[in-house]
Amino acid sequence: MLFRDLSVSEDLDFTLLDGSHNDETVLRQLFSEITQWIYDQSGIEMPEHERVFEVYTNPRARNSAQGRVGYRGPMQRQASLPRIRFDLTDDERVVLKGERRRVHHPYSDEPEGGIEVLAYCFEEVFAEKLRALAERQRPSDLYDVVHLFRRAVDIFRASVHATLAAKCEFKGILIPTVASLLSSPKHAELRADWEQMLAHQLAGLPPFESFWNELPSVFAWLERKETVPRRPPMRARRPDIDTAWRVPAMAHSWRADGIAAPLEIVRFAAANRLCVNLDYRDEQGRVSSRIIEPYSLRRTKAGGLLLYAVRSDNGEDQSYHLDRILGARATSQSFMPRYEVELSLAAPI
């Protein structure tokens, strides 16, 4: 079974390598064993009557399944239980070998040795989302395609293109282009559903145009007409910067480091090319708000952290001491990067 979930999703998506597992009786037995193990290890209860599996025949006469598993967590909620949703299918063309990847678990109860899952490799994920965008044009597909492109490197291009071709052939559709997406009758629905389908999942919703307008670059890269755009890093004009330090690769509990600034909100905004409304106390103790374009985080040799950004109102480069940041909120105002957005290079996809 291969994990194929992506950045914006309300369920966990898996591709089954063994189609015989796509059976309600088999799934019930497997999840009975899994949920019992979870209860033994953590005390989290997943009652049997809160486990529902629906196996159905898709348009290609293959089985797919949807599952919903309710759980009772440490707060002992007695009303309707929250549920984990699963999408299971064996009707996907897996072109490339899966990779074992470590699951990010920044909590104290992480098992020794961590947790690993067999997952799609980067190129397979990128090709799968391009295929999905061509076939159904959902807002989450567009959102994921652009995010993946922002993290792509040119050595992935041939593999992504070949994998996309194989997936489109399997589904019986043409390889997408910007023109084919724009001429599709689903395009108007894609634009109309952008806010309804994404706003409740994100800390701030980027404008539809900021993602749609990046698609020509995606396909120009895919067709070898352009390389991945790279901008110069924002210069840290201080001699005491620790050049060996890098921002943590995944979501991080900054309060454990004594930092109260909401840095993960800033990183989210950077990844989505959204300006941030920053509340800041200057050296004289005056508090004010300003709209910034966030770019990078640097640490001094003495251990102080600085957020490097550009003031949106005047275009000036600025640095902000994290211990003076009182609050940060992602806005709906997008920006075109002037520098490499280093904050999002290491942020979770």
Side-chain angles (χ1 to χ4, degrees):
M1 182 166 67
L2 283 167
F3 184 60
R4 56 184 173 88
D5 209 15
L6 296 166
S7 60
V8 177
S9 181
E10 294 182 304
D11 53 14
L12 299 176
D13 300 324
F14 292 89
T15 296
L16 300 176
L17 300 178
D18 184 347
S20 66
H21 291 168
N22 230 339
D23 175 86
E24 184 176 354
T25 301
V26 173
L27 290 172
R28 285 190 175 279
Q29 178 59 37
L30 286 173
F31 274 83
S32 177
E33 297 171 6
I34 292 169
T35 55
Q36 182 61 50
W37 179 86
I38 291 173
Y39 179 76
D40 293 341
Q41 296 294 317
S42 66
I44 296 176
E45 183 183 2
M46 297 182 172
E48 184 176 358
H49 67 276
E50 291 286 348
R51 297 197 293 269
V52 178
F53 296 96
E54 177 189 356
V55 178
Y56 60 95
T57 302
N58 65 30
R60 284 169 294 278
R62 298 285 295 271
N63 282 347
S64 293
Q66 291 182 337
R68 297 182 297 278
V69 177
Y71 63 93
R72 183 173 291 112
M75 299 302 291
Q76 296 297 312
R77 181 176 175 178
Q78 298 300 318
S80 58
L81 299 182
R83 289 180 169 183
I84 303 169
R85 292 168 49 184
F86 297 89
D87 181 83
L88 309 167
T89 184
D90 63 340
D91 189 25
E92 294 292 348
R93 173 81 182 275
V94 180
V95 180
L96 304 173
K97 186 177 180 180
E99 296 180 352
R100 288 210 163 270
R101 302 301 297 266
R102 184 162 180 161
V103 176
H104 180 55
H105 187 85
Y107 307 105
S108 59
D109 61 349
E110 181 180 25
E112 185 177 353
I115 307 168
E116 289 189 342
V117 63
L118 184 63
Y120 279 18
C121 66
F122 179 88
E123 300 98 304
E124 184 103 37
V125 172
F126 201 165
E128 180 63 25
K129 292 306 295 187
L130 283 163
R131 191 277 309 164
L133 181 62
E135 196 166 17
R136 63 188 188 184
Q137 286 210 40
R138 291 181 183 171
S140 59
D141 299 327
L142 172 60
Y143 185 87
D144 287 337
V145 162
V146 171
H147 270 284
L148 289 163
F149 173 64
R150 289 172 178 173
R151 289 163 175 80
V153 291
D154 290 334
I155 60 172
F156 289 155
R157 177 165 43 195
S159 181
V160 172
H161 191 277
T163 305
L164 173 61
K167 288 178 176 291
C168 289
E169 180 184 15
F170 178 74
K171 295 287 187 177
I173 63 174
L174 297 175
I175 296 176
T177 63
V178 174
S180 68
L181 293 174
L182 188 59
S183 63
S184 168
K186 297 180 180 179
H187 176 67
E189 187 176 345
L190 169 67
R191 181 184 294 269
D193 288 344
W194 182 257
E195 181 173 355
Q196 180 181 352
M197 296 186 70
L198 293 183
H200 66 288
Q201 299 186 63
L202 302 172
L205 182 66
F208 172 81
E209 287 74 15
S210 68
F211 274 65
W212 177 260
N213 291 342
E214 200 161 339
L215 270 186
S217 294
V218 175
F219 285 98
W221 173 78
L222 197 65
E223 296 162 6
R224 295 182 174 273
K225 296 176 182 177
E226 295 180 6
T227 59
V228 174
R230 293 290 181 238
R231 297 172 179 83
M234 193 170 180
R235 291 182 59 191
R237 297 181 177 86
R238 292 178 54 139
D240 61 340
I241 293 296
D242 180 1
T243 56
W245 184 82
R246 295 291 182 272
V247 64
M250 301 294 282
H252 184 69
S253 177
W254 296 96
R255 288 186 181 274
D257 299 327
I259 298 170
L263 274 178
E264 290 306 317
I265 290 294
V266 176
R267 289 219 287 186
F268 165 84
N272 287 277
R273 309 299 190 257
L274 291 175
C275 292
V276 171
N277 191 336
L278 197 72
D279 298 328
Y280 192 71
R281 183 180 63 248
D282 64 18
E283 293 180 353
Q284 288 72 42
R286 296 171 299 194
V287 176
S288 61
S289 297
R290 70 285 315 274
I291 305 297
I292 63 164
E293 302 169 5
Y295 287 100
S296 62
L297 192 66
R298 307 289 172 85
R299 189 175 73 176
T300 67
K301 294 176 182 178
L305 289 177
L306 298 168
L307 172 64
Y308 279 75
V310 171
R311 284 281 295 260
S312 177
D313 57 353
N314 57 23
E316 291 183 359
D317 294 0
Q318 297 287 334
S319 64
Y320 300 96
H321 293 264
L322 258 62
D323 57 359
R324 297 182 192 163
I325 296 177
L326 304 180
R329 297 168 298 283
T331 73
S332 59
Q333 176 182 336
S334 61
F335 67 91
M336 181 65 69
R338 313 165 196 240
Y339 303 104
E340 194 71 70
V341 184
E342 298 175 71
L343 277 168
S344 69
L345 292 178
I349 293 180

